[in-house]
Amino acid sequence: YSKPSQKGVYTHFAAIANATDLPICVYDIPGRSAIPVETETLLRLSELPTVKGVKDAKGDFAAASRLIAETDLAWYSGDDPLNLPWLSVGASGFISVVGHAAPRELAELWDAFDRGDIERAREINAQTLIPLAEQQARLGGVTLAKEALRMQGIEVGDPRLPVLGADADELEGLRLTMKKAGVLKE
């Protein structure tokens, strides 16, 4: 909303990193913050001892590949349709919305990729995770996560305004997608 400078972004994260011994994960989500965290800023942040990871929803594979190679930062896909491509450039894992609906399948995707079974990883991605990511694009992340968990018997309450829960048609679409993806047993 406020579109800070990169110096402001660095100063903000550095203040947090210097205030705790806990590990810090930089969220780089330009769709939410209106600005990316630039490569040079991430390089500077990686020098701080408590900055340990990045959630990347920017999708700049070239810049991230350099940072993965040059830093000790753990790199996490922050955009579910890009989970599999992120693994191919060295990502550590995922900070996922779709994982609320399909945690086992997301773990299985990582495991398949890790053992070199790219065919199985692509199958899980195409048959389970991408259809759920498409539902997320329609419903929004909070609504998808809450409704998917509720359908699996985990009550998590309703979203807070201005985010709304799904209407009857959206719920049915999500239910059908989850059933076809094999993550909802009825």
Side-chain angles (χ1 to χ4, degrees):
Y1 176 77
S2 59
K3 294 186 181 179
S5 66
Q6 291 300 302
K7 182 178 178 183
V9 170
Y10 175 83
T11 303
H12 169 76
F13 281 111
I16 295 167
N18 291 325
T20 182
D21 291 331
L22 296 172
I24 304 295
C25 183
V26 175
Y27 273 44
D28 189 3
I29 311 174
R32 300 273 188 249
S33 64
I35 61 156
V37 181
E38 294 177 4
T39 299
E40 295 306 315
T41 303
L42 287 166
L43 279 169
R44 287 182 65 207
L45 289 169
S46 74
E47 296 171 0
L48 299 171
T50 55
V51 175
K52 301 294 187 185
V54 175
K55 174 183 178 177
D56 190 312
K58 181 168 49 189
D60 183 345
F61 292 104
S65 294
R66 172 184 169 204
L67 289 161
I68 290 167
E70 293 181 11
T71 71
D72 291 328
L73 294 171
W75 211 268
Y76 299 97
S77 170
D79 189 4
D80 282 306
L82 300 180
N83 287 342
L84 186 55
W86 271 121
L87 291 176
S88 75
V89 296
S92 307
F94 325 103
I95 298 177
S96 171
V97 173
V98 167
H100 292 84
R104 286 178 198 89
E105 291 75 11
L106 192 60
E108 187 180 348
L109 171 79
W110 193 94
D111 289 341
F113 185 89
D114 190 51
R115 68 177 180 270
D117 189 349
I118 304 305
E119 184 176 327
R120 177 67 181 136
R122 289 172 57 193
E123 180 182 296
I124 295 164
N125 192 57
Q127 293 177 1
T128 302
L129 302 177
I130 293 300
L132 291 169
E134 290 169 349
Q135 280 290 328
Q136 176 187 338
R138 285 190 280 282
L139 298 173
V142 172
T143 302
L144 172 95
K146 287 182 173 280
E147 300 295 6
L149 287 167
R150 186 177 288 135
M151 286 181 187
Q152 295 174 74
I154 302 168
E155 182 51 54
V156 293
D158 293 324
R160 292 179 298 184
L161 293 175
V163 177
L164 297 174
D167 65 29
D169 289 338
E170 292 167 332
L171 284 171
E172 182 60 14
L174 177 58
R175 187 188 70 73
L176 290 172
T177 299
M178 288 176 66
K179 190 169 181 182
K180 184 175 179 182
V183 299
L184 184 63
K185 314 294 185 232
E186 292 184 301

